[in-house]
Amino acid sequence: MTRFLVAGIDASRESLVAGEWAAEEAARRGLELRLVHAVPAPADDIVDPPVALSWQRSGEEVLGRAEAGLAAVSPGVAMSGVQVAGSAPAALLSAARTAELLVVGARGDGGFDGLAVGSTALAVASGAPCPVAVVPRPPATALHEAEVAVGVGDVRTAAGSPLDFAFGAARLGEARLRAVHAWSLGGAPIWTALAVPEEDRATWEDEEVQRLSDVLREPRERYPDVSVLPDVVLLHPAYALVHASRRAGLLVVGRRASPRAAEQRLGPVAHAVLHHAHCPVVVVPHG
């Protein structure tokens, strides 16, 4: 059975940047790259056949240019392109059912200037059954290290899937893994830490460090070749992860997913990270 990495493609520069990232990731993972381009679904009573044909030809041109460009920079990657009638989120969510990873640009050819993350990226990151990589258009000054950062939220109930993905990505990229755990003083606002005795703060921090170490013990045993840096900070999780993204080449966050939920949603931390991260972000669903 063929294993796929799916990338959403449109005519935007951001889409092509994401496609290049997807091709590199497909080569690293030994996956076939499938490029998906959504075209409007023609309504027989509204859209004239010539208009529908024009949409189809335009989509074929977009896919053709993308395939040629990506083949030039990643010649060893097997790839194919497919057009899907319908909205971009629906097309990509459908393709994600058989994908090991879905890659999209942070924004596409819609939206407006200054928009950090578009509606398609948010929709697929919120609802795809597989991990979703959201790739920003990199600023000219971005300098990322060979480091994968992963957010570890409540260390008492830490999710396995985001950690597994992060450890695997670090091993594939021969990168160090930074496990970021942001904590607060018993759920109190961070600024109240100023009124807490230093001895109490140190005790609570030591407890959080130990809990994180316990969470990391099992994946460390399964990935003994991955260098791990536990990073426990007294900070809001979104701030901590965005800060970590300044030095990382990849940031991994989790998203709670339940098959019983009528509507999948991103949590506030993942939502903030997608809008402000300085590197590609992978959102991994977990139960």
Side-chain angles (χ1 to χ4, degrees):
M1 182 176 178
T2 304
R3 299 161 60 225
F4 288 102
L5 185 154
V6 171
I9 292 293
D10 60 22
S12 68
R13 172 57 183 159
E14 287 79 5
S15 167
L16 296 179
V17 169
E20 292 174 0
W21 189 92
E24 293 176 359
E25 195 67 15
R28 184 179 292 118
R29 294 175 177 272
L31 302 176
E32 181 174 326
L33 177 60
R34 176 172 292 174
L35 307 178
V36 175
H37 176 69
V39 294
D44 294 337
D45 57 341
I46 298 176
V47 179
D48 293 331
V51 174
L53 181 59
S54 175
W55 287 343
Q56 180 180 352
R57 288 177 175 171
S58 177
E60 291 172 352
E61 292 176 0
V62 168
L63 281 173
R65 288 195 300 268
E67 286 188 63
L70 295 179
V73 296
S74 299
V77 175
M79 69 181 71
S80 60
V82 59
Q83 288 195 81
V84 179
S87 69
L92 293 172
L93 287 172
S94 177
R97 295 172 188 161
T98 56
E100 295 197 12
L101 178 65
L102 171 62
V103 180
V104 294
R107 53 172 293 185
D109 54 8
F112 52 86
D113 291 341
L115 182 67
V117 183
S119 59
T120 296
L122 289 174
V124 297
S126 302
C130 68
V132 176
V134 179
V135 182
R137 185 172 183 177
T141 57
L143 294 173
H144 299 303
E145 300 178 7
E147 179 173 288
V148 174
V150 59
V152 184
D154 187 349
V155 291
R156 299 165 184 82
T157 59
S161 297
L163 277 175
D164 286 341
F165 187 95
F167 268 87
R171 182 173 64 182
L172 284 172
E174 299 181 345
R176 179 176 68 179
L177 178 67
R178 179 183 295 270
V180 181
H181 171 57
W183 67 287
S184 62
L185 298 170
I190 290 174
W191 57 81
T192 61
L194 299 175
V196 175
E198 184 67 28
E199 294 176 355
D200 291 342
R201 287 177 55 188
T203 298
W204 287 331
E205 183 171 9
D206 288 344
E207 292 175 355
E208 296 296 328
V209 170
Q210 183 58 53
R211 290 188 181 110
L212 178 59
S213 177
D214 292 342
V215 168
L216 295 175
R217 182 177 295 112
E218 191 271 338
R220 271 179 151 171
E221 292 174 353
R222 288 190 290 111
Y223 297 89
D225 51 342
V226 174
S227 173
V228 182
L229 175 63
D231 191 0
V232 178
V233 291
L234 181 60
L235 197 63
H236 188 281
Y239 288 120
L241 293 173
V242 170
H243 178 72
S245 75
R246 291 183 179 275
R247 67 172 71 88
L250 184 68
L251 173 60
V252 181
V253 297
R255 170 180 67 82
R256 292 191 181 278
S258 170
R260 297 184 300 273
E263 182 180 0
Q264 303 288 356
R265 291 182 180 274
L266 285 175
V269 172
H271 193 276
V273 166
L274 284 179
H275 279 83
H276 299 287
H278 301 271
C279 69
V281 177
V282 176
V283 180
V284 181
H286 62 89

